[in-house]
Amino acid sequence: SAVISQKPSRDICQRGTSLTIQCQVDSQVTMMFWYRQQPGQSLTLIATANQGSEATYESGFVIDKFPISRPNLTFSTLTVSNMSPEDSSIYLCSVLGTYEQYFGPGTRLTVT
Amino acid sequence: AQSVTQPDIHITVSEGASLELRCNYSYGATPYLFWYVQSPGQGLQLLLKYFSGDTLVQGIKGFEAEFKRSQSSFNLRKPSVHWSDAAEYFCAVGGLEYGNKLVFGAGTILRVKS
């Protein structure tokens, strides 16, 4: 399985600002995913990020709000833009193994 | 469309007792099924997975799950629960037909009483 790290592990941000979350993997992977876990809720897929192509967003998520970069096979970033308190969540990245996904430790975001 | 139902939001079991967490799925093709565990403040750890073959799969930490196609179920079991098993458990479904994206159930919070 891959070893995945995320930065920052947590942050408290003011509304209207943006935060970029980094996801680093210790091996090259084709597919990476970004999920949101709202307080007390399950995980919801935000987008799929493949290297060399635009991210594919799920219904209810748009690129202007959650721009994603995937510059190489071991790294991706998710930006949460123009934040509001409703964006307070844990954001997790994952990578595709054979068919399973392995998750990073998550970034806990609080928007005040 | 894919969907996963975990009917039990909370379950409390005594340490040493057996455990079964329920999971039902809806999927239009051959499902890949997963159980993940999330301890407080932690990310998700893969417990076990089912792709094909033997319908009883073994995972880490003494967990097992059985795929029953006729019941669209993938229940998680453990014969003897330890206090360290207290966590939230998520069932998920995915597959090639949906680009390997995962859909998660709502989760079941397991409490272990001593």
Side-chain angles (χ1 to χ4, degrees):
Chain A
S1 64
V3 176
I4 304 165
S5 60
Q6 286 186 233
K7 290 181 181 179
S9 59
R10 58 178 63 226
D11 207 342
I12 301 173
C13 300
Q14 301 277 345
R15 69 171 67 206
T17 64
S18 297
L19 176 71
T20 295
I21 302 168
Q22 299 179 5
C23 179
Q24 180 76 52
V25 188
D26 69 341
S27 57
Q28 294 184 338
V29 294
T30 304
M31 296 184 75
M32 296 179 75
F33 304 86
W34 286 98
Y35 290 84
R36 180 176 72 182
Q37 186 177 24
Q38 295 178 298
Q41 303 294 316
S42 185
L43 283 79
T44 301
L45 180 65
I46 297 172
T48 303
N50 291 330
Q51 194 269 336
S53 62
E54 294 289 325
T56 303
Y57 290 83
E58 298 300 302
S59 176
F61 297 96
V62 295
I63 187 171
D64 290 346
K65 176 67 175 177
F66 297 101
I68 288 171
S69 77
R70 182 79 200 274
N72 57 52
L73 290 174
T74 63
F75 187 78
S76 178
T77 67
L78 169 75
T79 298
V80 186
S81 303
N82 189 24
M83 289 184 284
S84 67
E86 291 71 36
D87 293 319
S88 296
S89 298
I90 299 172
Y91 293 86
L92 300 102
C93 68
S94 72
V95 303
L96 183 67
T98 306
Y99 301 117
E100 69 281 5
Q101 292 183 26
Y102 299 98
F103 285 81
T107 295
R108 183 179 294 272
L109 171 62
T110 302
V111 183
T112 61
Chain B
Q2 313 167 79
S3 68
V4 177
T5 301
Q6 293 181 247
D8 303 306
I9 298 174
H10 296 99
I11 282 185
T12 300
V13 300
S14 298
E15 190 169 16
S18 63
L19 170 70
E20 182 169 29
L21 302 183
R22 295 182 290 165
C23 172
N24 291 95
Y25 68 90
S26 174
Y27 194 76
T30 303
Y32 296 158
L33 294 158
F34 310 90
W35 276 98
Y36 288 88
V37 60
Q38 186 177 38
S39 299
Q42 304 294 313
L44 269 72
Q45 182 180 23
L46 179 66
L47 280 177
L48 46 75
K49 56 195 176 187
Y50 172 80
F51 300 145
S52 64
D54 192 347
T55 57
L56 183 63
V57 294
Q58 303 296 321
I60 62 171
K61 304 184 180 186
F63 285 93
E64 66 177 28
E66 186 171 12
F67 170 57
K68 293 185 177 180
R69 185 184 297 275
S70 62
Q71 299 177 20
S72 297
S73 69
F74 188 58
N75 294 348
L76 182 70
R77 300 194 293 250
K78 186 170 185 177
S80 177
V81 170
H82 188 264
W83 63 267
S84 61
D85 293 324
E88 188 162 16
Y89 292 79
F90 293 95
C91 181
V93 66
L96 295 174
E97 292 81 3
Y98 290 93
N100 288 300
K101 296 184 287 188
L102 292 181
V103 171
F104 285 84
T108 298
I109 296 173
L110 172 65
R111 299 190 179 113
V112 181
K113 59 182 182 181
S114 55

